Amino acid sequence: LRAEKFERMRAMGLIDPDWSLSPKEASDVVAWEDEPHKEWRLWAMEVYAALVDRMDRNIGRIVRLLEDAGQFDNTMIIFLSDNGGNAEFPNIKDPSVLPGGNDYETAYGHYGNGWANLSNTPFRMYKHYIHEGGIASPFIVHWPARLKEPGVLRGQPVQLTDVMATVVDATDSTYPTEYNGHSIYPMEGVSMMPIFERGDIHKEYLFWEHEGNCGVRRNEWKLVRFYKKPWELYHMDQDGTETRNLAAEQPELVQQLAEQYDLWTKRTNVLTQEEYEKFDSRPNRRRKKQQL
């Protein structure tokens, strides 16, 4: 299924045809014929499909209301998914537990590594990580009154923080500097309107951190690492699926991007890896198992 999806994405122009399909990530992502709990896995995907169906139908209701009100063309609609297929809690500790039972590992909201690996085609890893399988999301904008190139694809990377800046720009609003006598931090994001309208270049750096997994991107270069692991470096234009780690070949670039990441952590009060290790070692600290 991943191979079929990969070819469809290539044919639709959603990914560069020169990119490679990333390999499966974890040892417990098995072929479907080797899956020992097919009934539970199918049930999990049925629930997921039902959620997508409900979402789709209710978005349709909103669209019809806007059309009936004569406001559809002059309404900016932004559609994006949450980041990364969710591979957390993938194992069934007690196969005898029926779907919907009390077993924590079979709880709602998690459909396992196999489906998550399929959902994230062609990228590496899952939600929780900073590789593209954990952060890349579909992002669709519809606003006929303002955006004059329907169906165009833009390749510039953006972040969720850019949504606020875009809405402020699109509505010709002013972001506040204080509230109730307290100063407000300025927006981290940058408006995406120039990208939408002209395909202009966006901001120079993008940063991420989640539970010790972290990364920084500058133009076509992305530096990323797993918690407590060395930095990895990828050329995202040539290798958007992060299959060729170039860190050993570009040590100076690794150092430069790592320094920018450290500066960002200090400016935005993000824990450094050393600080996070102290936080992570607190008594009774519960962490989800990371499967690298």
Side-chain angles (χ1 to χ4, degrees), residues 227-228 271-283 285:
Y227 178 48
K228 294 187 177 181
L271 295 181
T272 64
Q273 178 162 322
E274 293 73 22
E275 292 169 333
Y276 189 84
E277 288 175 7
K278 295 178 182 178
F279 169 76
D280 188 39
S281 63
R282 295 181 306 164
R285 162 74 170 147

PDB file of all heavy atoms in Angstrom, residues 227-228 271-283 285:
ATOM      1  N   TYR A 227      16.125  12.314  20.232  1.00  0.00           N
ATOM      2  CA  TYR A 227      16.520  12.607  21.612  1.00  0.00           C
ATOM      3  C   TYR A 227      17.766  11.807  21.995  1.00  0.00           C
ATOM      4  O   TYR A 227      17.812  10.593  21.846  1.00  0.00           O
ATOM      5  CB  TYR A 227      15.352  12.256  22.533  1.00  0.00           C
ATOM      6  CG  TYR A 227      15.606  12.442  24.007  1.00  0.00           C
ATOM      7  CD1 TYR A 227      16.169  13.612  24.495  1.00  0.00           C
ATOM      8  CD2 TYR A 227      15.263  11.449  24.917  1.00  0.00           C
ATOM      9  CE1 TYR A 227      16.385  13.795  25.837  1.00  0.00           C
ATOM     10  CE2 TYR A 227      15.463  11.619  26.272  1.00  0.00           C
ATOM     11  CZ  TYR A 227      16.027  12.792  26.736  1.00  0.00           C
ATOM     12  OH  TYR A 227      16.241  12.963  28.078  1.00  0.00           O
ATOM     13  N   LYS A 228      18.812  12.522  22.427  1.00  0.00           N
ATOM     14  CA  LYS A 228      20.081  11.955  22.878  1.00  0.00           C
ATOM     15  C   LYS A 228      20.897  11.333  21.743  1.00  0.00           C
ATOM     16  O   LYS A 228      21.852  10.612  21.999  1.00  0.00           O
ATOM     17  CB  LYS A 228      19.874  10.916  23.989  1.00  0.00           C
ATOM     18  CG  LYS A 228      19.335  11.489  25.289  1.00  0.00           C
ATOM     19  CD  LYS A 228      19.323  10.433  26.383  1.00  0.00           C
ATOM     20  CE  LYS A 228      18.865  11.020  27.697  1.00  0.00           C
ATOM     21  NZ  LYS A 228      18.868  10.012  28.794  1.00  0.00           N
ATOM     22  N   LEU A 271      13.876  24.139  26.236  1.00  0.00           N
ATOM     23  CA  LEU A 271      14.913  23.409  26.952  1.00  0.00           C
ATOM     24  C   LEU A 271      15.984  22.911  25.988  1.00  0.00           C
ATOM     25  O   LEU A 271      15.669  22.378  24.919  1.00  0.00           O
ATOM     26  CB  LEU A 271      14.315  22.204  27.686  1.00  0.00           C
ATOM     27  CG  LEU A 271      13.323  22.479  28.818  1.00  0.00           C
ATOM     28  CD1 LEU A 271      12.864  21.161  29.438  1.00  0.00           C
ATOM     29  CD2 LEU A 271      13.912  23.382  29.869  1.00  0.00           C
ATOM     30  N   THR A 272      17.248  23.095  26.346  1.00  0.00           N
ATOM     31  CA  THR A 272      18.321  22.459  25.595  1.00  0.00           C
ATOM     32  C   THR A 272      18.292  20.960  25.892  1.00  0.00           C
ATOM     33  O   THR A 272      17.589  20.498  26.792  1.00  0.00           O
ATOM     34  CB  THR A 272      19.683  23.023  26.009  1.00  0.00           C
ATOM     35  OG1 THR A 272      19.921  22.694  27.393  1.00  0.00           O
ATOM     36  CG2 THR A 272      19.733  24.544  25.835  1.00  0.00           C
ATOM     37  N   GLN A 273      19.066  20.187  25.131  1.00  0.00           N
ATOM     38  CA  GLN A 273      19.079  18.742  25.370  1.00  0.00           C
ATOM     39  C   GLN A 273      19.567  18.446  26.780  1.00  0.00           C
ATOM     40  O   GLN A 273      19.018  17.568  27.460  1.00  0.00           O
ATOM     41  CB  GLN A 273      19.977  18.030  24.352  1.00  0.00           C
ATOM     42  CG  GLN A 273      20.052  16.524  24.614  1.00  0.00           C
ATOM     43  CD  GLN A 273      20.539  15.740  23.424  1.00  0.00           C
ATOM     44  OE1 GLN A 273      20.207  16.042  22.297  1.00  0.00           O
ATOM     45  NE2 GLN A 273      21.323  14.708  23.681  1.00  0.00           N
ATOM     46  N   GLU A 274      20.572  19.180  27.245  1.00  0.00           N
ATOM     47  CA  GLU A 274      21.079  18.946  28.595  1.00  0.00           C
ATOM     48  C   GLU A 274      20.017  19.264  29.639  1.00  0.00           C
ATOM     49  O   GLU A 274      19.839  18.517  30.621  1.00  0.00           O
ATOM     50  CB  GLU A 274      22.328  19.806  28.834  1.00  0.00           C
ATOM     51  CG  GLU A 274      23.544  19.421  28.000  1.00  0.00           C
ATOM     52  CD  GLU A 274      23.401  19.818  26.533  1.00  0.00           C
ATOM     53  OE1 GLU A 274      22.581  20.736  26.237  1.00  0.00           O
ATOM     54  OE2 GLU A 274      24.088  19.226  25.692  1.00  0.00           O
ATOM     55  N   GLU A 275      19.290  20.356  29.437  1.00  0.00           N
ATOM     56  CA  GLU A 275      18.224  20.710  30.378  1.00  0.00           C
ATOM     57  C   GLU A 275      17.085  19.712  30.324  1.00  0.00           C
ATOM     58  O   GLU A 275      16.495  19.363  31.339  1.00  0.00           O
ATOM     59  CB  GLU A 275      17.718  22.122  30.065  1.00  0.00           C
ATOM     60  CG  GLU A 275      18.737  23.210  30.355  1.00  0.00           C
ATOM     61  CD  GLU A 275      18.310  24.554  29.782  1.00  0.00           C
ATOM     62  OE1 GLU A 275      17.565  24.572  28.770  1.00  0.00           O
ATOM     63  OE2 GLU A 275      18.739  25.585  30.319  1.00  0.00           O
ATOM     64  N   TYR A 276      16.782  19.235  29.120  1.00  0.00           N
ATOM     65  CA  TYR A 276      15.698  18.273  29.000  1.00  0.00           C
ATOM     66  C   TYR A 276      16.061  16.953  29.664  1.00  0.00           C
ATOM     67  O   TYR A 276      15.212  16.292  30.263  1.00  0.00           O
ATOM     68  CB  TYR A 276      15.346  18.021  27.533  1.00  0.00           C
ATOM     69  CG  TYR A 276      14.098  17.201  27.393  1.00  0.00           C
ATOM     70  CD1 TYR A 276      12.842  17.802  27.441  1.00  0.00           C
ATOM     71  CD2 TYR A 276      14.149  15.819  27.257  1.00  0.00           C
ATOM     72  CE1 TYR A 276      11.687  17.056  27.351  1.00  0.00           C
ATOM     73  CE2 TYR A 276      13.000  15.061  27.166  1.00  0.00           C
ATOM     74  CZ  TYR A 276      11.780  15.686  27.211  1.00  0.00           C
ATOM     75  OH  TYR A 276      10.635  14.938  27.143  1.00  0.00           O
ATOM     76  N   GLU A 277      17.333  16.564  29.595  1.00  0.00           N
ATOM     77  CA  GLU A 277      17.765  15.334  30.261  1.00  0.00           C
ATOM     78  C   GLU A 277      17.548  15.432  31.770  1.00  0.00           C
ATOM     79  O   GLU A 277      17.148  14.462  32.411  1.00  0.00           O
ATOM     80  CB  GLU A 277      19.233  15.055  29.943  1.00  0.00           C
ATOM     81  CG  GLU A 277      19.459  14.596  28.508  1.00  0.00           C
ATOM     82  CD  GLU A 277      20.922  14.440  28.173  1.00  0.00           C
ATOM     83  OE1 GLU A 277      21.751  14.565  29.105  1.00  0.00           O
ATOM     84  OE2 GLU A 277      21.246  14.191  26.997  1.00  0.00           O
ATOM     85  N   LYS A 278      17.796  16.603  32.350  1.00  0.00           N
ATOM     86  CA  LYS A 278      17.530  16.787  33.785  1.00  0.00           C
ATOM     87  C   LYS A 278      16.031  16.691  34.062  1.00  0.00           C
ATOM     88  O   LYS A 278      15.599  16.066  35.023  1.00  0.00           O
ATOM     89  CB  LYS A 278      18.063  18.145  34.244  1.00  0.00           C
ATOM     90  CG  LYS A 278      19.571  18.285  34.164  1.00  0.00           C
ATOM     91  CD  LYS A 278      20.009  19.682  34.587  1.00  0.00           C
ATOM     92  CE  LYS A 278      21.514  19.840  34.449  1.00  0.00           C
ATOM     93  NZ  LYS A 278      21.964  21.208  34.803  1.00  0.00           N
ATOM     94  N   PHE A 279      15.235  17.313  33.198  1.00  0.00           N
ATOM     95  CA  PHE A 279      13.781  17.255  33.346  1.00  0.00           C
ATOM     96  C   PHE A 279      13.291  15.820  33.187  1.00  0.00           C
ATOM     97  O   PHE A 279      12.435  15.345  33.943  1.00  0.00           O
ATOM     98  CB  PHE A 279      13.145  18.154  32.283  1.00  0.00           C
ATOM     99  CG  PHE A 279      11.656  18.000  32.145  1.00  0.00           C
ATOM    100  CD1 PHE A 279      10.794  18.558  33.077  1.00  0.00           C
ATOM    101  CD2 PHE A 279      11.120  17.282  31.084  1.00  0.00           C
ATOM    102  CE1 PHE A 279       9.421  18.414  32.942  1.00  0.00           C
ATOM    103  CE2 PHE A 279       9.746  17.138  30.945  1.00  0.00           C
ATOM    104  CZ  PHE A 279       8.903  17.709  31.879  1.00  0.00           C
ATOM    105  N   ASP A 280      13.867  15.104  32.238  1.00  0.00           N
ATOM    106  CA  ASP A 280      13.417  13.746  31.930  1.00  0.00           C
ATOM    107  C   ASP A 280      13.793  12.762  33.027  1.00  0.00           C
ATOM    108  O   ASP A 280      13.177  11.706  33.152  1.00  0.00           O
ATOM    109  CB  ASP A 280      14.048  13.306  30.608  1.00  0.00           C
ATOM    110  CG  ASP A 280      13.493  11.994  30.112  1.00  0.00           C
ATOM    111  OD1 ASP A 280      12.273  11.788  30.249  1.00  0.00           O
ATOM    112  OD2 ASP A 280      14.269  11.174  29.597  1.00  0.00           O
ATOM    113  N   SER A 281      14.796  13.085  33.837  1.00  0.00           N
ATOM    114  CA  SER A 281      15.254  12.153  34.871  1.00  0.00           C
ATOM    115  C   SER A 281      14.559  12.352  36.210  1.00  0.00           C
ATOM    116  O   SER A 281      14.909  11.693  37.188  1.00  0.00           O
ATOM    117  CB  SER A 281      16.772  12.306  35.053  1.00  0.00           C
ATOM    118  OG  SER A 281      17.085  13.609  35.519  1.00  0.00           O
ATOM    119  N   ARG A 282      13.567  13.239  36.280  1.00  0.00           N
ATOM    120  CA  ARG A 282      12.855  13.444  37.533  1.00  0.00           C
ATOM    121  C   ARG A 282      12.161  12.163  37.976  1.00  0.00           C
ATOM    122  O   ARG A 282      11.693  11.377  37.151  1.00  0.00           O
ATOM    123  CB  ARG A 282      11.793  14.538  37.384  1.00  0.00           C
ATOM    124  CG  ARG A 282      12.340  15.921  37.112  1.00  0.00           C
ATOM    125  CD  ARG A 282      11.204  16.910  37.007  1.00  0.00           C
ATOM    126  NE  ARG A 282      10.231  16.457  36.017  1.00  0.00           N
ATOM    127  CZ  ARG A 282       9.000  16.949  35.918  1.00  0.00           C
ATOM    128  NH1 ARG A 282       8.588  17.878  36.754  1.00  0.00           N
ATOM    129  NH2 ARG A 282       8.175  16.500  34.981  1.00  0.00           N
ATOM    130  N   PRO A 283      12.064  11.918  39.285  1.00  0.00           N
ATOM    131  CA  PRO A 283      11.331  10.738  39.761  1.00  0.00           C
ATOM    132  C   PRO A 283       9.888  10.756  39.271  1.00  0.00           C
ATOM    133  O   PRO A 283       9.254  11.804  39.192  1.00  0.00           O
ATOM    134  CB  PRO A 283      11.391  10.892  41.289  1.00  0.00           C
ATOM    135  CG  PRO A 283      12.573  11.757  41.539  1.00  0.00           C
ATOM    136  CD  PRO A 283      12.650  12.692  40.374  1.00  0.00           C
ATOM    137  N   ARG A 285       8.694  10.511  36.467  1.00  0.00           N
ATOM    138  CA  ARG A 285       8.431  11.104  35.166  1.00  0.00           C
ATOM    139  C   ARG A 285       8.020   9.994  34.207  1.00  0.00           C
ATOM    140  O   ARG A 285       8.776   9.055  33.985  1.00  0.00           O
ATOM    141  CB  ARG A 285       9.685  11.825  34.673  1.00  0.00           C
ATOM    142  CG  ARG A 285       9.707  12.130  33.161  1.00  0.00           C
ATOM    143  CD  ARG A 285       8.796  13.259  32.802  1.00  0.00           C
ATOM    144  NE  ARG A 285       9.031  13.649  31.402  1.00  0.00           N
ATOM    145  CZ  ARG A 285       8.087  14.101  30.599  1.00  0.00           C
ATOM    146  NH1 ARG A 285       6.866  14.211  31.028  1.00  0.00           N
ATOM    147  NH2 ARG A 285       8.379  14.429  29.364  1.00  0.00           N
TER     148      ARG A 285
END
